[in-house]
Amino acid sequence: MESIQDMISFVREHFNSDKFIPLHEPRFRGNEKKYLAETIDSTFVSSVGTFVDQFENMMQNITGAEKSVAVVNGTSSLQVALRLVGVKKDEEVITQALTFIATANAIAYNNAVPIFLDVDLDTMGLSPKAVKAFLEEYGELRENGCYNKSTGRRIAACMPMHTFGFPVHLDEMIRVCNQWKIPLVEDAAESLGSFYKGKHTGTIGLVSGFSFNGNKVVTSGGGGAIVTNDIQLGIQAKYLTTTAKKPHPYEFFHDDMGYNFRMPNLNAALACAQLESLEGFLADKRILAEKYTSFFKDSGIKFRQEIPYTKANYWLMCVELNNKTEREEFLKNTNDCGVMTRPIWNLMYRLPMYAHCQRDAQKNAAYLEERIVNIPSSAR
C-alpha cells in the first residue's frame, strides 16, 4: 500500500528521526532529575516521603476528585478499587473483552469472575447497550443486589475501560448500573487527561484506577492511583494499600488483610515532575492527532478520533484498517521499516485462563480486533 510508505515518511518527518521510532516513549523535560535528587538527598526513597503526598494532591487537583491514593501500579489500583465496592470471592464483574490483561486480572485477583460483554464501535469501550441487553436477559434484582440467573452469582460491579483514552458512554452506563444496583468502577488506566462532558474520567464512577507505567502520557516508571469522590472509600483505600496497619509509633498491628501496594517516594518524585508537564504533553499529542487526521483523510485508512462531548487524551493513537489482511500488511511494512506499530489486544476470552468466562456475541469487539492498529503517539 502506497499510503503505508507515505505514513512512514510522515512519522519520520514529524519526529525528525531516521532511527527506530517507538510507539510511545516518555519525555523528561521538567524537574524530573531535580526531584529525584531531592528524594535521594532526603534518604526518604521508599513509601514515606513528601512527594507521595504531593502526587496525591496533584491528582486530586487535575481530576477534580475528592481523594487520590498513590499505589505501585495501575493493576493494583483496579484490584483494590473492586474490593472497595464490595467485590468478593465467586462474585462476578461485568467488563469488556477488548482490553489490556490488567482489567481481567484485577477481577481474578479478587477471586471474582469476569463477564465479557461487547464494546461500542465509536468508543472501543464497554457498551451500555450490551450491558443493558445482558442484564435484561440474565439479571435478577434481589435485596442485596443483582444476580446472574444463569450462574446464581451476584454481579458485584461493572468495570468499563476507557480504551486508549477514549471515554465510554458514561451517562448511559451509569443509568443501566443504577437501575440494576451495580456499582460502577472505571478502569481509567489509559485516560489521564480525558474528559466526558467536562468531567475527568475516573471521577464519574464510584471509584477508579489510573496507571503511570513507562508508556503512559505521564509516567512514574511504575505506579498507579486510586481516585474517588467518596472520602470514606478513599481513606479505606489508603489503609488497605499500606498493609492495613493501625497507626502506632512502634507497634505492628494489622486488623485486616491489606496490601503492600505503596508507591515509593522515588516514583512519586518522578510522577510529580511529569504531572507538571501534563498540559504540554496533551497539547503536543493533540497537535499530532490533528496532523494524523489530515494525513489519513483521503487515504482509505480511518484515523480514530474522539466522539462528541468527550475530550480524549490521545494516549495511543490508532487507525482502523479495512480487514485483517490489510492490518497484517500495515503491521509488517511499518515495523520492517523501523516505525513501531502494534495490533490491539487479543480478546480476553481467547486467553486460556479466561476461556471459560461468560460472554455475549462480541460482534463489535471481534470486528475491531481484526482492524485496529496503534501508531506512534509520543509527545515531541
Side-chain angles (χ1 to χ4, degrees):
M1 293 168 66
E2 184 178 342
S3 56
I4 297 178
Q5 293 304 318
D6 290 341
M7 191 210 83
I8 292 168
S9 299
F10 167 82
V11 168
R12 291 203 174 283
E13 181 180 351
H14 176 81
F15 290 105
N16 191 27
S17 175
D18 58 0
K19 298 178 181 178
F20 173 75
I21 297 177
L23 200 61
H24 196 287
E25 63 181 348
R27 299 287 186 241
F28 303 115
R29 58 193 190 194
N31 289 312
E32 287 87 355
K33 290 183 180 179
K34 177 186 174 184
Y35 291 170
L36 287 170
E38 287 179 16
T39 306
I40 292 168
D41 290 342
S42 75
T43 74
F44 286 95
V45 297
S46 191
S47 56
V48 176
T50 58
F51 283 111
V52 176
D53 296 334
Q54 184 177 326
F55 167 75
E56 291 177 341
N57 289 332
M58 292 179 79
M59 279 298 293
Q60 288 165 207
N61 292 334
I62 288 167
T63 62
E66 292 294 325
K67 186 71 175 175
S68 172
V69 176
V71 290
V72 72
N73 55 49
T75 308
S76 62
S77 73
L78 298 174
Q79 178 181 345
V80 177
L82 290 169
R83 179 173 167 184
L84 289 170
V85 302
V87 175
K88 296 181 178 62
K89 182 179 180 181
D90 294 328
E91 295 186 329
E92 295 177 338
V93 177
I94 291 172
T95 192
Q96 59 206 64
L98 188 71
T99 187
F100 179 57
I101 189 68
T103 309
N105 284 350
I107 297 168
Y109 294 158
N110 281 282
N111 297 304
V113 182
I115 298 172
F116 296 120
L117 300 184
D118 209 357
V119 296
D120 285 317
L121 287 174
D122 57 354
T123 68
M124 298 180 286
L126 186 62
S127 170
K129 293 182 177 63
V131 176
K132 183 174 185 288
F134 178 85
L135 291 171
E136 287 176 349
E137 181 173 0
Y138 295 106
E140 178 181 87
L141 278 174
R142 301 180 189 173
E143 283 188 16
N144 63 333
C146 179
Y147 281 74
N148 184 339
K149 289 187 289 189
S150 66
T151 64
R153 299 188 184 108
R154 189 172 79 99
I155 301 175
C158 175
M159 187 163 66
M161 196 274 279
H162 303 299
T163 305
F164 305 139
F166 294 102
V168 303
H169 294 288
L170 282 165
D171 278 353
E172 296 171 54
M173 194 72 73
I174 287 285
R175 279 196 293 271
V176 173
C177 288
N178 286 346
Q179 179 184 351
W180 290 91
K181 298 180 180 179
I182 300 171
L184 181 68
V185 174
E186 292 179 70
D187 181 345
E190 302 178 353
S191 66
L192 182 66
S194 296
F195 291 82
Y196 176 85
K197 295 186 177 180
K199 295 181 179 179
H200 200 293
T201 53
T203 66
I204 297 168
L206 186 57
V207 64
S208 68
F210 287 84
S211 171
F212 298 88
N213 189 35
N215 65 347
K216 294 299 191 292
V217 176
V218 160
T219 182
S220 56
I226 300 165
V227 167
T228 183
N229 285 318
D230 186 314
I231 294 293
Q232 290 307 308
L233 279 183
I235 292 171
Q236 182 70 0
K238 188 70 172 181
Y239 188 62
L240 287 175
T241 56
T242 52
T243 72
K245 180 182 178 294
K246 299 295 284 186
H248 193 279
Y250 48 85
E251 291 284 357
F252 285 85
F253 183 80
H254 309 259
D255 65 352
D256 203 343
M257 188 193 73
Y259 312 91
N260 189 4
F261 284 169
R262 297 170 287 188
M263 177 188 281
N265 200 37
L266 273 171
N267 297 82
L270 184 61
C272 288
Q274 287 270 289
L275 287 174
E276 290 174 349
S277 298
L278 176 61
E279 286 189 18
F281 292 154
L282 293 172
D284 280 359
K285 291 168 73 61
R286 186 159 287 272
I287 289 170
L288 177 57
E290 290 169 357
K291 287 185 176 181
Y292 274 139
T293 300
S294 177
F295 174 81
F296 284 112
K297 185 176 180 182
D298 299 313
S299 69
I301 297 173
K302 179 180 179 180
F303 177 70
R304 280 290 185 147
Q305 297 173 266
E306 63 197 2
I307 63 173
Y309 58 81
T310 71
K311 185 176 183 179
N313 65 2
Y314 285 104
W315 168 50
L316 282 187
M317 301 176 211
C318 57
V319 292
E320 180 182 320
L321 283 301
N322 293 310
N323 51 58
K324 190 173 182 179
T325 301
E326 283 190 13
R327 185 198 76 166
E328 293 305 307
E329 183 181 355
F330 188 97
L331 287 165
K332 184 177 189 317
N333 288 344
T334 50
N335 283 286
D336 283 351
C337 291
V339 173
M340 185 179 179
T341 60
R342 77 174 189 199
I344 204 167
W345 315 279
N346 288 307
L347 299 181
M348 292 297 101
Y349 61 82
R350 301 198 198 283
L351 306 180
M353 57 283 199
Y354 296 119
H356 66 285
C357 295
Q358 189 174 9
R359 60 182 173 89
D360 60 9
Q362 300 286 305
K363 179 180 177 183
N364 292 343
Y367 176 93
L368 294 169
E369 181 190 33
E370 292 188 345
R371 291 166 174 81
I372 295 295
V373 174
N374 292 123
I375 56 180
S377 308
S378 306
R380 292 185 69 174

